[in-house]
Amino acid sequence: MRKTLTIALAAVIACGEACAIEALVYRQVSRRTLTDALGKQTSEELHQKLYATRKALRTETDELNVVSIVRLDEMTIYQYDPGRRIFAAASVGELLKKVQAYKDALRSAYPDMPRDKQERLAVVLGKVRPRVRAQVEARDVIICGYPTRKVAFIENGRLRMELWLTDAFESETDATELLKATGEFSDALLRLRERERGFALKSRVHPLLGIHPAVENEVTEIMRVPVPDELFRVPEGYRRVESLEESTRRTDAPAPAGDGAEGEGTPVVPGTGSGLDFVPLPR
């Protein structure tokens, strides 16, 4: 990470203050487990560097040959492959349409589902009204050298996410619209999350739809530094392609599988800065 920061700072010095932007730069370990419709689990561990500003987020993953950029000012997600000099892009609206189509398929199949699966999907499919609450489960938990409080977010009796929040840093990236695009969270749950201040140095997310992995992120290094604005743009000269799906997976990891409706096996964008980093890209 120090080498990357040295290069970034050198670029800032070269271009001057005009093209520099303040960013929260951090390294995290991301552990993901996906459970398919048959109950089979696949797991992987990724090591990531993230650059977060109020308008954009850049994620570099050691195990992948793809850089992801989320432009919140454009509501667009980009992925590019430096080796092949290609990139793909998708609007958040496109992603939401795909997830909604998947949820529509689940709603059609809902009457014939086993009772336990109906209960698991009832809130996320809009069958029952969400009842949400947040509870502080621990205080002064030291992560990455900073004190945090652990907050659990519970929806209709189910644990949906756990965040270890610190007041040492503000969350630069408002990922609310990205979280909506996953289709996993009710508006009530997202509003509750917004009310809890602080930056998540550790997080766990418990998805329900079957197309997103359960994610645990833990920050291991963090600092606030100026970085060049060009880090949040696809480099010039790259060719646009339909999808980088195969490039987004580790070569030694199996392809994820969903619940059998359209959208299964969608790749993920690593890192939203809030520990909820599984926004699907179009196939």
Side-chain angles (χ1 to χ4, degrees):
M1 183 174 184
R2 291 186 179 89
K3 182 178 179 181
T4 302
L5 287 176
T6 300
I7 294 172
L9 289 172
V12 169
I13 293 170
C15 72
E17 292 184 3
C19 63
I21 184 170
E22 191 80 5
L24 198 61
V25 182
Y26 53 102
R27 176 175 280 276
Q28 70 180 19
V29 177
S30 182
R31 303 175 183 90
R32 303 158 184 235
T33 302
L34 183 70
T35 304
D36 66 16
L38 301 178
K40 180 181 178 181
Q41 291 189 338
T42 56
S43 300
E44 63 180 354
E45 181 175 288
L46 303 177
H47 301 81
Q48 302 173 320
K49 289 179 292 193
L50 297 96
Y51 304 74
T53 72
R54 296 194 182 279
K55 294 183 178 180
L57 177 82
R58 174 187 174 97
T59 305
E60 303 168 357
T61 303
D62 294 352
E63 293 82 0
L64 306 179
N65 60 338
V66 169
V67 175
S68 296
I69 297 172
V70 179
R71 294 292 311 214
L72 296 172
D73 51 351
E74 303 173 5
M75 295 308 293
T76 302
I77 299 173
Y78 300 89
Q79 289 185 314
Y80 71 87
D81 183 333
R84 295 188 290 166
R85 296 181 64 82
I86 58 176
F87 79 96
S91 71
V92 172
E94 291 177 70
L95 306 181
L96 185 56
K97 286 180 181 178
K98 284 184 171 288
V99 172
Q100 290 301 330
Y102 176 79
K103 291 174 72 172
D104 288 344
L106 289 179
R107 290 187 185 98
S108 296
Y110 187 85
D112 299 321
M113 290 179 183
R115 185 173 181 81
D116 61 335
K117 191 168 186 178
Q118 286 182 340
E119 292 176 352
R120 177 168 65 93
L121 295 175
V123 175
V124 75
L125 295 182
K127 299 294 184 180
V128 300
R129 182 178 179 179
R131 301 186 306 278
V132 299
R133 61 187 175 92
Q135 62 185 42
V136 177
E137 295 189 337
R139 295 185 184 274
D140 298 322
V141 180
I142 304 300
I143 297 176
C144 195
Y146 297 95
T148 69
R149 67 187 186 282
K150 181 189 176 186
V151 182
F153 296 82
I154 299 164
E155 184 178 59
N156 292 58
R158 291 182 180 274
L159 181 62
R160 299 304 317 279
M161 66 177 93
E162 302 162 88
L163 301 179
W164 284 256
L165 298 167
T166 181
D167 294 325
F169 299 94
E170 290 186 12
S171 182
E172 290 286 343
T173 308
D174 182 1
T176 302
E177 294 303 316
L178 295 176
L179 302 185
K180 287 182 180 179
T182 69
E184 285 281 357
F185 305 104
S186 66
D187 289 344
L189 189 63
L190 293 178
R191 286 194 299 269
L192 185 63
R193 167 62 186 101
E194 287 177 350
R195 289 201 292 268
E196 288 291 336
R197 298 185 60 83
F199 181 81
L201 288 176
K202 182 177 178 180
S203 59
R204 292 192 191 119
V205 180
H206 306 277
L208 298 176
L209 286 174
I211 55 174
H212 302 125
V215 179
E216 178 182 289
N217 291 335
E218 184 167 353
V219 173
T220 57
E221 281 184 71
I222 186 168
M223 62 187 74
R224 189 181 298 279
V225 294
V227 299
D229 184 58
E230 65 189 32
L231 283 180
F232 304 99
R233 296 191 297 268
V234 176
E236 293 185 8
Y238 278 55
R239 176 174 56 89
R240 183 166 182 169
V241 296
E242 183 74 16
S243 172
L244 300 186
E245 180 174 354
E246 295 307 316
S247 298
T248 62
R249 296 203 193 101
R250 293 171 49 162
T251 55
D252 62 342
D259 271 343
E262 180 183 354
E264 67 173 298
T266 51
V268 296
V269 174
T272 65
S274 301
L276 301 158
D277 54 344
F278 42 83
V279 180
L281 281 176
R283 295 174 69 95

